Amino acid sequence: MTKKKRPKRPNDRYHLPPHVAAAQRYAAKATEQVTYPRPPPRRVVVAAFGMSLLCLLMALFFWMPTRSLVHDLRTDGVIVEATVTAADNKPKYIRVRYAFGVEAGKEFKLSEYAGMLPELRTGDALLVIYDRKNPSRVLPHDWVTAPPPNLPAYGTSGLSILVLGLSFAVVLRRRRILRASTAVRLTKS
């Protein structure tokens, strides 16, 4: 058997198969109609970083006074026994009267720690530490040696970290969109 000889075609008469031609047309149409999402505006980026800064400042607002009060009472504090003379049921305030020491017999309002006060009733006895220079700064002895969790500070610190991470995500998304759209414009030219 002999093979049939096909006549040679000139190069200018070659046609692509229909499925290849259709794929090329589809690819050309897809590259022409590439629409990129709008990048987040700069004001969104600035607002996101501003929110993270605000959360950080709030966290410092909750951390600093409580930490300084505990530090001052640890360094300059005087331990005395006190009796609770008045306590609100919420508690919004607790008044204590010192039983011993230089300030014996004087009554002071118990300082708050992170917006919290211990649960005490009128007539309860407890050990307190007060500042020598300012006897109105008073905390229970247990709260000075082992402070309770400062939930507002923990919450705002976590929120600050979360918002800062989201801010960086917005910046990275903006850069990726702008870089891709610039690369397409440069290749089309």
Side-chain angles (χ1 to χ4, degrees), residues 85-122:
T85 58
D88 191 9
N89 59 354
K90 300 237 175 159
K92 286 188 176 179
Y93 69 90
I94 296 176
R95 292 197 178 275
V96 293
R97 178 175 292 140
Y98 300 146
F100 301 106
V102 178
E103 302 293 329
K106 292 186 180 176
E107 192 173 300
F108 292 101
K109 191 174 173 184
L110 203 62
S111 300
E112 292 182 355
Y113 180 85
M116 299 182 296
L117 289 170
E119 293 183 20
L120 297 169
R121 295 188 185 134
T122 305

Side-chain angles (χ1 to χ4, degrees), residues 14-32:
Y14 179 74
H15 296 287
L16 289 172
H19 70 280
V20 174
Q24 284 181 340
R25 284 193 304 273
Y26 177 76
K29 190 166 52 168
T31 57
E32 288 175 5

